[in-house]
Amino acid sequence: MKSFTSYKFAFLLLFLVLILFLTINISYGSVNIPFKDIFTSIFKNEATKETWNYIVLNYRIPKAITAILVGSGLAISGLLMQTLFRNPLAGPYVLGISSGASLGVAILILGSSMLGGSFLIMAQSSIFLSIASSVGSFMVLFAVMIVAKQVKNTMTILIIGLMFSSLTAAIISVLAYFSSAENLQQYLFWSFGSLGNLTWNEILIFTIITFAGVILILPTLKPLNSLLLGENYAKSVGINFNRTRNIILVATSLLTGVITAFSGPIAFIGLATPHITKIIFNTSNHKLLIPAVALIGAIMMLISDTIAQLPNSEFTLPINAITSLFGAPVVIWLLLRKKKLIL
Amino acid sequence: MNHVIIVLALFCFNFISCNQSQKKKDLAIKVDSSKTSIKYAKGFDIQIFDTYKKLIIKSPYPGAEDHQEFILIRRGSNVEMGKKIIEIPLEKIVATSTTHIPMLELIEEENSLVGFPHVDYITSSKTIERIKNGLIKDIGNDQDFNTEVLLDLQPNAVIAFSMGNTTKMFETIEKNGIPIIFNGDWLEETPLGRAEWIKFFGVLYDKDKEADSIYSAIELAYNNAKQIAKNSINKPTIMSGVLYKDKWNLPAGESFTAQLYRDANTNYYWKESKGQGSLVLSFEAVYEKAKNADFWIGSGYFTSFSELASANNHYTEFNTYKNKNIYTFSKKRGENGGVIYFELAPIQPHIVLQDLIKIVHPELLPEYKPYFLEKLE
């Protein structure tokens, strides 16, 4: 076990790296804005060009904040799922929560062509999309919770979650088959994921809900460590297992639901970040792991977004392609070096 | 001396063979003398011979390497050609794109349509009436037909369109003796090229003359409008498209739409860009370039300013939003919700062009009332 001061140092270092990539993320984009103007627009709101002010203050900074929230939220959800299910392959997707969110959006976007009228307009609105997505993820969570009451075994819940994902995916393909090309395209764009179209108001809601999710898990930090040794061990040391499990489920669905609502399904980060973090920190203490995955998740999202913007070109890439393209090799490389997976 | 003879002999031989091939060419030209003049369309050609016509589809789908060739013979005539033979005039067809419908109606052959995928997209009231009477069967999805229903209809041909290489589905239909003719109208780069596909239907229904005269009228009207637009000294700046999440989709510089903007004597911000489809750009790039645009033409499915603002607040930062200069093609819809523009615009490029001119240079067409383009509410 490393000394406490060395962890302090590691956190400081990670925090500096986060600030560095945040600066890089804000400085680079399709439009080439000189570094000096980035600063004048942030601090004095008077860049050389009026459009630059708007781009930096109302596009790039909200996008960077979204990246940080999405990255840390998904990473925390992933860590919680992996610990709860004691399965290195678990992530925010396993309970079908993300799929539930996708189903909500699919019904709104793809169903709008069948229902027509005001649904067509609603499908274009980001607020309705967020509502549909949250409702979808909570519906699936609700179903999982009911099942969880009946079934005591965590593995069974995991499998039932996977079945929910398959079910929702199937419903989405049926909807897609019958919907118009235009709606299908809109749904596809949503499923690519995106960080860059939130207003300051939406960012505020996003931040509040994300923090609520994080605060929820604070009392579970200690039980989480015992959970690693199994349900029975946790129970034997006097932990209210069912309560802990339910808190974790609610927190995860809240985080995943709101993230999927605002930025679409973002792949890979939730699964990979906990592994990367555990390899770097070499600990399984959740008091350290939770802030660490949050920081590393945020850094990974910022890097992915910077790459996706293809600095200085007018074109951009879907964020989901980058998170996987850039992230998967990193995990493989780290695992090959360590030659074993820490749970 | 010997050399000279050889050289002379070679020269003569060359000359004669040249001459012969010249003759062959002449002959070919003679046969082709009544060839329909395809002026703008690059995707198809029609050759007319004594006893038959040849329909060549040069670009059946994007990136296609092979041409499609059909021998068209009059019904009942005995011609052994061995290739893909289609008896004309067609009597029963399955069409696949709404753009085919107005072309059929213009040559008065809409009654030959017996099947269509996704009939809800159709906006033509004449054809909707026939759907209601059960005369047109819905054959499912446009890239994945209900093959049983289609085979049961036994059409003379399927006028299809394909995004990529021919699929298994088309093979099954062809195996059952129903020819698939790819209509590549949507791949044409110019508005007049797209409209010219009416000649494709003309030859299939043995109504070449009718199609030619309809087309000439469109061509004349289009070129007249283009001339009128040239009279304006100012070139208003144009932005286009909408955001899908954080990606702005807008017509590329070599697209049909960009050509219309050019012909309307405007300055489209992305006129120099490559590509015939659409560009996918970041919000930043569009905002930086088009913040001060004069007009915003084509705002997706949005039909009011409030919808636009509620979908994404960034839209309100554009001068076109502040000055309420945003126009859309999506307000005019058919009975079942299909956008009329998608169906009619390819065959009415002259009207689209006049609409554009009326909006960007209102002084040039004082009496004209736009048909497709409407201001947001």
Side-chain angles (χ1 to χ4, degrees), chain A residues 67 70-71 74 93 191-195 265-270 272-273 276 297 299-308 317-331:
Chain A
V70 167
L74 285 177
Y93 282 72
S191 68
F192 283 153
S194 74
L195 304 171
I266 304 279
F268 179 80
I269 296 287
T273 316
I276 296 176
I299 293 169
M300 297 220 320
M301 269 323 276
L302 283 172
I303 298 175
S304 302
D305 180 57
T306 313
I307 299 173
L317 294 172
I319 186 80
N320 255 341
I322 305 299
T323 52
S324 308
L325 264 180
F326 150 86
V330 172
V331 176

Side-chain angles (χ1 to χ4, degrees), chain B residues 175-223:
Chain B
K175 257 184 219 152
N176 280 278
I178 301 169
I180 306 281
I181 312 172
F182 285 109
N183 181 313
D185 61 353
W186 59 291
L187 291 166
E188 292 294 337
E189 295 160 40
T190 59
L192 283 177
R194 255 193 211 192
E196 201 161 15
W197 279 79
I198 192 166
K199 293 179 181 171
F200 161 97
F201 286 100
V203 74
L204 285 173
Y205 285 92
D206 206 11
K207 285 192 169 174
D208 311 47
K209 288 220 175 66
E210 288 88 334
D212 281 357
S213 73
I214 293 165
Y215 182 70
S216 305
I218 294 168
E219 188 192 359
L220 185 71
Y222 189 90
N223 286 331

Side-chain angles (χ1 to χ4, degrees), chain A residues 30 49 54 60 177 180 182, chain B residues 121 141 244 282 284 301 314:
Chain A
S30 300
K49 277 169 87 175
Y54 187 82
R60 286 193 189 172
Y177 189 83
S180 71
E182 186 80 12
Chain B
Y121 290 162
N141 198 302
Y244 285 90
S282 68
E284 288 183 12
Y301 278 128
H314 291 321

